[in-house]
Amino acid sequence: MSVLKNRAVLRWLVPVTAGVAVIGGGAAVGTFAAGADPALPPRTAAQLLEDLRTSRLDGLSGTVVQRADLGLPPIAELAGKAGGNELASLVSGTHTLRVWYAGPDRQRLALVDTLGERDVLRNGRDVWTWSSRDNAASHRTLPAEGKDLDTAPATPADAADRALAAIDPSTAVTVGRSATVAGRSVYELVLTPRDRDSLVHQVRIALDAKEHVPLRFEVLADGADEPAFEVAFTQVDFRTPDADQFRFNPPPGVKVTEESAGDGHGPAGKRPAGRGEDRPDVRTVGTGWTTVLVAKIDAAGGAAGAKPGEATGPDAEALSKVLGGLQRVSGDWGSGRLLSGKLFSVLLTDDGRVLAGLVTPERLYQAAKG
């Protein structure tokens, strides 16, 4: 099964930050020799891209470490708790995950930290989530069409897929140095945005030299030597895991909650807001790495009638405090508050808009004039 064509694999192979999610446009493929490692024969960027597109993944298991240093306030953690998805906290700090994959209908992710373990499992149409700290589990049955899981991020290919959607003249694609990741030899693809208004300096994708599967994904901010976001295998096994790995046996005394099928993004019976590209009140400005997403506050998840920067519902007080502490900015586009990180910027205007992108604040101000 093609790694890049199977959506289940792509969702399970790497957590993606909000900034990476807005990558668009593309890259011009250059022809460069591989790094100095004599154990690997030279490969051009075009050859490595073809290896990636034609690779097949029937199964794997392994340990993944994710590190994120985006220079943001604790807004991501608050948003994750309010939305009922603790895995949203993966956009900050360092996290260790165990992943198993045995096809689109058998997937498992375990997030391990000092407070315990949180698991998400799919076995056929059954999806389970479990928290060892709370000794609580939830179960839902997917619809007959067998929709892929959207709630469980895990290793480098989903991020690689989104970044490789960047293949046109807006990006230079070259071959970096060969290296070793999780004890395996890898080639490195390097994507470099040409537009200086992008906060992304480079995206580096390490491909297994034999299986052609991404084993490491790094995003470097402009002017930085260390990744602002990195997810990499520390151990990987390409054998298909046993079926027992995907069966959930509730521990003694566990509280099990049955949920409606839905799509796993919100409380039972409530449908979350659609993705930006499916909504008429969300639009984009620009292309490629400097694409800016523009939305109305209510369309982006705020409550109708709420003032910009004013939260409602669970965690409203804490979230309002975070938003209220953001830098006040103004110009010929209007006024509002700015959230600025290493890889992306977000502008909340006083007239009820949200603008976000992998760009400098100045690019957001330009888009806000329209």
Side-chain angles (χ1 to χ4, degrees), residues 238-285:
F238 287 102
R239 292 174 295 184
T240 302
D242 294 337
D244 288 345
Q245 290 287 357
F246 308 98
R247 297 192 183 103
F248 180 66
N249 298 311
V254 67
K255 178 183 178 181
V256 178
T257 301
E258 288 290 336
E259 298 180 349
S260 62
D263 59 10
H265 286 283
K270 294 185 179 180
R271 183 178 179 82
R275 296 186 181 185
E277 60 268 30
D278 299 327
R279 299 181 62 89
D281 41 12
V282 178
R283 62 188 178 90
T284 58
V285 177

Side-chain angles (χ1 to χ4, degrees), residues 129-143:
T129 62
W130 175 66
S131 168
S132 65
R133 181 177 58 181
D134 303 324
N135 198 24
S138 65
H139 170 261
R140 74 181 190 277
T141 303
L142 294 176

Side-chain angles (χ1 to χ4, degrees), residues 30-49 51 174-178 186-189 209 212:
T31 303
F32 296 86
D37 189 337
L40 295 179
R43 301 288 284 173
T44 67
Q47 288 173 324
L48 291 179
L49 288 171
D51 289 342
T174 58
V175 177
R177 299 182 59 182
S178 55
V186 298
Y187 291 98
E188 184 179 66
L189 273 172
H212 310 309

Side-chain angles (χ1 to χ4, degrees), residues 177-200:
R177 299 182 59 182
S178 55
T180 301
V181 176
R184 299 181 65 91
S185 298
V186 298
Y187 291 98
E188 184 179 66
L189 273 172
V190 181
L191 282 64
T192 305
R194 300 186 190 276
D195 194 325
R196 294 190 177 183
D197 279 343
S198 173
L199 292 175
V200 176

Side-chain angles (χ1 to χ4, degrees), residues 149-221:
L149 281 178
D150 289 329
T151 54
T155 58
D158 191 17
D161 176 57
R162 294 170 187 262
L164 293 174
I167 295 221
D168 79 15
S170 71
T171 310
V173 179
T174 58
V175 177
R177 299 182 59 182
S178 55
T180 301
V181 176
R184 299 181 65 91
S185 298
V186 298
Y187 291 98
E188 184 179 66
L189 273 172
V190 181
L191 282 64
T192 305
R194 300 186 190 276
D195 194 325
R196 294 190 177 183
D197 279 343
S198 173
L199 292 175
V200 176
H201 170 57
Q202 284 184 342
V203 172
R204 300 174 182 174
I205 305 168
L207 302 178
D208 187 280
K210 180 179 179 180
E211 301 293 340
H212 310 309
V213 172
L215 296 185
R216 183 176 64 204
F217 181 90
E218 300 174 315
V219 184
L220 277 72

